[in-house]
Each structure stands twice: as C-alpha cells, then as structure tokens.
Amino acid sequence: MIERIVILEHADPASFFGVNNSNMSLIRNLYPKLRIAARGSMIKVIGEDSETLEFEKRIHQLEEYCVKYNSLNEDAILDVIRGAQPRERASDGVIIFGINGKPISARNPNQQRLVEAITNNSLTFALGPAGTGKTYIAIAMAVRALKNKEVRKIILSRPAVEAGEKLGFLPGDMKDKIDPYLQPLYDALEDMIPPLKLKEYMESNTIQIAPLAFMRGRTLNDAVIVLDEAQNTTTHQIKMFLTRLGNNAKMIVTGDATQIDLPRSTTSGLLQALRVLKDVKGIGRVEFEKKDIVRHPLVQRIVDAYEHFKPEAAEEKEATAE
C-alpha cells in the first residue's frame, strides 16, 4: 500500500469537489479499492501503487477540464475515469466560462468588435453609454489572457473622482476609502472567477485593483491593464497611464463622454487622448451606441430621456407655471 498526495494547483476546490462534495463522492465510488480523503486543495489517496498513479493522472485531467469550464459535472468525471475524452462543451464565440460554467460571450456586434480589437491591438479604446458591457468584456478578455497564460497579471484601475463625499471623510483606512470606487470591477471579477481562486489571485497580486494615482512610476509588463471610467481622468493622468505600457502587455481604456464628473474647467483626458492618438497605428477603437445597452430595457429609455431633456426649456416652463 502506498500513500499519494494530489494537489489541485489551478482548479478552484469548491468547483472541483462539487456541491456537498458530490463530485468527490462519485470519484470515490468509481475507485472502490482506494481510500480517498479530500481537504482544501489536497487529495490524499491510499492504495496499490499502480492504482494511485492512475488516480493521480485522472485527477489532473479533471482539473484541466474544471479550469477550462469553471465547473465539473458527472458526465466529465465518468468520461475521464473511463479513459475517454470528456465531451467538449459548445464554445463558439465564448470568451471564457464564468462561475458555474456560465458562458461569457459577446452579446451584440459591437461587443464582438471589441473582442477582436483587443485581440489585435496593444491599446484599445471602448467608448459608449452606460450598460453596453464595455468594462465587462474588457475584464473577460483580461481573465482569458490570464487563464491561457498569455500574461502573468491583470491590473484594473479607475480614477477616484469624488462624487459628493470627500475621501477623507469616508470611514476606514485607504483601502476602505477607495474600494467603493472600484466595486464595479470586483463585481465583474466575481462573475468570472470562483471566490477562493479570486482571493488567491488578489493576495498574490496576480490581480491588482487600484486607483489611477497608484500607477505612477510603474512599467507594466506581461499584463492586461484596464482603465475604466477614463472620461474622468485629467489630461496629465491619462498620459501618465498610457505611458506605463510595457512588453507583452495590452491596455484597454473604457469611458463614456456623456458622464464626465470633472470640474467644468478641467478637460477630460480621454477626449484629448482620442484626438491626439487618432492617427497612431496599433490602437483599436470601438464606439458603442444606445442600441448596444444590455442591461434592463428601461436603461436605454432612461439614456434616451436624458439626451432629449433640455434644462433651459424645463426651467422656463416651470417659471411660467408659477
């Protein structure tokens, strides 16, 4: 009898073991001669040398499947342990498989253009109204590059523009103060990466989320860098950010020119950058429209209403009514 330790190095244990350890229960039933115990990311198996060696091989094959699809099901387990290739899931157009195997893909032609632009360019601008999926697709492409080992890290950033409250008056330490500005980025990541794996990536700085000011002085190599809400950068900030681009790196800049929160006297860095860089080769640009909004249908009608609203006319009407 021999004891062998198998470590899940890449798969999320919760996804691999299944709800209430259902996947491990099935695996134990398929290996009745082995004593199998699983804890954390470690599986301990005791049995004959040849059988434990075969078990380790099959577990690593299942791990590869689990990493690819972010889930592990009974059919895949049966196929692999019987020595067959697991049936591939339909993946045409899928960027990545998110939590519980949910396929994440482009939902309209402009989102598909963004996927292609990011693939073919070192720097891509994604512009358009809220709800068009610009940031979501950008982060999905970054996660795919990380999973495919095309890059070693993901860096996500936003300008921390104050909206009604001064940072100094918000409770907590610096992380507590800036996290509310970065929450949309966390939300997207939590859709795509299992919680334990995401925590591991964050703790090891494989995924970094930071306000724009923290980019100064860095050279960002082997990374996908996403700047969200870029319309709220100043001209100096966006120049600083764009010149951080290092070797084997991609930058994705998203923004909405209709939602600038800067003081009226301050020029948006995004608008200036688009003018300055319009003839530079190697830069992709995708512009989204109202029809590309993929949130609740009401969002598109809200955007329409604000576009057609004329404050001066409304004020004049209210004054006349008085």
Side-chain angles (χ1 to χ4, degrees), residues 6 8 12-32 34-45 55 59 62 72-74 77 81:
V6 184
L8 299 176
D12 174 66
S15 302
F16 188 91
F17 296 146
V19 178
N20 296 323
N21 280 330
S22 57
N23 290 340
M24 282 308 302
S25 297
L26 175 59
I27 290 169
R28 287 190 184 95
N29 291 335
L30 293 169
Y31 285 100
L34 299 178
R35 289 166 54 196
I36 302 167
R39 186 171 184 177
S41 60
M42 182 180 72
I43 303 172
K44 182 168 73 173
V45 56
F55 175 85
I59 289 296
L62 289 172
L72 185 60
N73 56 42
E74 182 178 318
I77 293 170
I81 290 180

Side-chain angles (χ1 to χ4, degrees), residues 223-261:
V224 177
I225 311 106
V226 179
L227 175 61
D228 192 32
E229 300 287 347
Q231 75 276 4
N232 289 328
T233 60
T234 66
T235 55
H236 295 296
Q237 284 176 329
I238 200 161
K239 180 182 177 183
M240 176 274 292
F241 175 81
L242 295 174
T243 53
R244 302 305 96 200
L245 185 65
N247 295 318
N248 189 39
K250 284 183 182 288
M251 274 186 174
I252 309 162
V253 178
T254 72
D256 176 4
T258 68
Q259 291 190 331
I260 297 172
D261 298 318

Side-chain angles (χ1 to χ4, degrees), residues 3-214:
E3 178 183 299
R4 198 178 294 275
I5 303 294
V6 184
I7 305 292
L8 299 176
E9 295 182 357
H10 306 293
D12 174 66
S15 302
F16 188 91
F17 296 146
V19 178
N20 296 323
N21 280 330
S22 57
N23 290 340
M24 282 308 302
S25 297
L26 175 59
I27 290 169
R28 287 190 184 95
N29 291 335
L30 293 169
Y31 285 100
K33 296 181 181 179
L34 299 178
R35 289 166 54 196
I36 302 167
R39 186 171 184 177
S41 60
M42 182 180 72
I43 303 172
K44 182 168 73 173
V45 56
I46 299 173
E48 295 298 328
D49 186 36
S50 59
E51 286 195 29
T52 58
L53 192 63
E54 173 73 10
F55 175 85
E56 181 177 18
K57 176 184 174 183
R58 299 304 183 200
I59 289 296
H60 286 313
Q61 288 177 327
L62 289 172
E63 183 181 17
E64 286 179 17
Y65 181 96
C66 187
V67 169
K68 181 175 181 179
Y69 295 111
N70 248 335
S71 66
L72 185 60
N73 56 42
E74 182 178 318
D75 289 340
I77 293 170
L78 292 171
D79 286 341
V80 168
I81 290 180
R82 289 168 179 165
Q85 280 293 323
R87 281 157 280 189
E88 294 285 326
R89 293 178 55 183
S91 57
D92 289 345
V94 174
I95 301 171
I96 55 167
F97 289 88
I99 295 297
N100 298 323
K102 171 191 170 186
I104 294 173
S105 57
R107 294 173 61 181
N108 55 48
N110 270 337
Q111 285 192 358
Q112 184 57 40
R113 288 189 192 99
L114 180 56
V115 170
E116 293 164 4
I118 293 169
T119 302
N120 297 325
N121 295 283
S122 296
L123 170 61
T124 302
F125 288 95
L127 315 165
T132 50
K134 309 180 298 295
T135 303
Y136 198 80
I137 292 294
I139 293 177
M141 291 295 287
V143 172
R144 182 174 79 174
L146 183 65
K147 288 183 72 169
N148 292 345
K149 299 181 180 177
E150 296 165 13
V151 297
R152 291 189 295 107
K153 57 193 171 190
I154 295 172
I155 300 168
L156 308 176
S157 187
R158 270 185 152 204
V161 173
E162 297 168 352
E165 287 184 283
K166 299 290 185 183
L167 277 174
F169 287 96
L170 295 175
D173 59 17
M174 179 55 75
K175 184 178 186 301
D176 294 327
K177 293 175 189 291
I178 63 177
D179 269 0
Y181 292 101
L182 307 174
Q183 191 58 48
L185 306 181
Y186 288 111
D187 291 344
L189 287 171
E190 287 166 359
D191 254 10
M192 302 174 195
I193 303 174
L196 289 177
K197 198 67 184 176
L198 179 56
K199 183 180 179 184
E200 178 188 319
Y201 280 148
M202 301 286 283
E203 288 175 349
S204 65
N205 280 331
T206 300
I207 295 180
Q208 303 170 29
I209 302 181
L212 182 58
F214 287 30

